[in-house]
Short mmCIF file of all heavy atoms in Angstrom, two decimals:
data_model
loop_
_atom_site.label_atom_id
_atom_site.label_comp_id
_atom_site.label_asym_id
_atom_site.label_seq_id
_atom_site.Cartn_x
_atom_site.Cartn_y
_atom_site.Cartn_z
N SER D 134 -117.92 51.26 108.96
CA SER D 134 -118.17 51.88 107.66
C SER D 134 -119.50 51.47 107.05
O SER D 134 -119.84 51.90 105.96
CB SER D 134 -117.05 51.50 106.68
OG SER D 134 -115.80 51.82 107.20
N THR D 200 -116.79 37.92 108.23
CA THR D 200 -116.12 37.28 107.11
C THR D 200 -115.80 35.82 107.37
O THR D 200 -115.51 35.07 106.44
CB THR D 200 -114.79 38.00 106.81
OG1 THR D 200 -114.02 38.03 108.02
CG2 THR D 200 -115.03 39.42 106.34
N SER D 250 -97.57 33.10 90.77
CA SER D 250 -97.07 33.97 91.82
C SER D 250 -97.89 35.25 91.85
O SER D 250 -98.39 35.69 90.84
CB SER D 250 -95.63 34.33 91.54
OG SER D 250 -95.18 35.25 92.49
N ARG D 252 -100.81 37.01 92.11
CA ARG D 252 -102.25 37.05 92.11
C ARG D 252 -102.77 36.75 90.72
O ARG D 252 -102.01 36.54 89.79
CB ARG D 252 -102.75 38.41 92.56
CG ARG D 252 -102.87 39.47 91.51
CD ARG D 252 -101.63 39.80 90.76
NE ARG D 252 -100.64 40.34 91.67
CZ ARG D 252 -99.39 40.08 91.52
NH1 ARG D 252 -98.98 39.28 90.54
NH2 ARG D 252 -98.51 40.60 92.31
N ASP D 277 -95.29 55.29 79.99
CA ASP D 277 -93.96 55.21 79.41
C ASP D 277 -93.41 53.79 79.46
O ASP D 277 -92.43 53.47 78.82
CB ASP D 277 -93.01 56.13 80.19
CG ASP D 277 -93.38 57.57 79.98
OD1 ASP D 277 -94.24 57.83 79.11
OD2 ASP D 277 -92.83 58.43 80.68
N HIS D 284 -106.84 42.52 79.77
CA HIS D 284 -106.55 41.09 79.77
C HIS D 284 -107.81 40.26 79.78
O HIS D 284 -108.82 40.65 80.32
CB HIS D 284 -105.74 40.75 81.02
CG HIS D 284 -104.57 41.63 81.20
ND1 HIS D 284 -103.53 41.64 80.30
CD2 HIS D 284 -104.29 42.57 82.12
CE1 HIS D 284 -102.64 42.54 80.70
NE2 HIS D 284 -103.09 43.12 81.79
N THR D 365 -112.62 25.21 107.69
CA THR D 365 -112.01 26.50 107.34
C THR D 365 -111.98 26.66 105.83
O THR D 365 -111.82 27.75 105.32
CB THR D 365 -110.57 26.58 107.87
OG1 THR D 365 -109.87 25.44 107.40
CG2 THR D 365 -110.53 26.62 109.38
N TYR M 67 -94.56 33.19 82.26
CA TYR M 67 -94.19 33.05 83.66
C TYR M 67 -93.93 31.58 84.01
O TYR M 67 -92.97 31.25 84.70
CB TYR M 67 -95.31 33.62 84.54
CG TYR M 67 -94.89 33.78 85.98
CD1 TYR M 67 -94.35 34.99 86.43
CD2 TYR M 67 -94.98 32.73 86.86
CE1 TYR M 67 -93.93 35.13 87.73
CE2 TYR M 67 -94.57 32.87 88.18
CZ TYR M 67 -94.05 34.07 88.60
OH TYR M 67 -93.64 34.20 89.89
N LEU M 184 -108.20 30.79 105.95
CA LEU M 184 -107.75 29.44 105.61
C LEU M 184 -106.36 29.12 106.15
O LEU M 184 -105.98 27.97 106.28
CB LEU M 184 -107.73 29.26 104.08
CG LEU M 184 -109.06 29.33 103.35
CD1 LEU M 184 -108.83 29.30 101.85
CD2 LEU M 184 -109.94 28.19 103.77
N ASP M 216 -109.07 40.96 107.98
CA ASP M 216 -108.93 39.56 108.40
C ASP M 216 -107.46 39.14 108.50
O ASP M 216 -107.09 38.37 109.39
CB ASP M 216 -109.66 38.63 107.43
CG ASP M 216 -111.16 38.62 107.69
OD1 ASP M 216 -111.60 39.34 108.61
OD2 ASP M 216 -111.88 37.92 106.97
N ASP M 235 -112.64 51.48 102.84
CA ASP M 235 -113.17 51.40 104.20
C ASP M 235 -112.42 52.42 105.09
O ASP M 235 -111.28 52.18 105.50
CB ASP M 235 -112.97 49.97 104.72
CG ASP M 235 -113.57 49.75 106.10
OD1 ASP M 235 -113.80 50.75 106.82
OD2 ASP M 235 -113.82 48.59 106.45
N LYS M 258 -100.67 47.26 85.36
CA LYS M 258 -100.55 46.12 84.45
C LYS M 258 -101.67 45.10 84.71
O LYS M 258 -102.20 44.50 83.78
CB LYS M 258 -99.19 45.46 84.64
CG LYS M 258 -98.82 44.49 83.55
CD LYS M 258 -98.38 45.22 82.30
CE LYS M 258 -97.88 44.25 81.25
NZ LYS M 258 -97.50 44.94 80.01
N ASP M 285 -92.89 44.40 92.67
CA ASP M 285 -93.68 43.18 92.52
C ASP M 285 -92.97 42.14 91.64
O ASP M 285 -92.11 41.42 92.14
CB ASP M 285 -95.07 43.53 91.95
CG ASP M 285 -96.14 42.52 92.35
OD1 ASP M 285 -95.77 41.50 92.97
OD2 ASP M 285 -97.31 42.74 92.04
N LYS M 303 -94.33 61.39 88.20
CA LYS M 303 -94.99 62.02 87.05
C LYS M 303 -96.48 62.20 87.29
O LYS M 303 -97.08 63.18 86.89
CB LYS M 303 -94.79 61.15 85.80
CG LYS M 303 -93.39 61.20 85.24
CD LYS M 303 -93.28 60.26 84.04
CE LYS M 303 -91.86 60.27 83.49
NZ LYS M 303 -91.67 59.23 82.48
#
Side-chain angles (χ1 to χ4, degrees):
Chain D
S134 305
T200 55
S250 175
R252 85 303 297 144
D277 293 351
H284 309 295
T365 53
Chain M
Y67 192 92
L184 296 174
D216 281 0
D235 184 339
K258 193 77 174 178
D285 207 355
K303 287 177 181 171

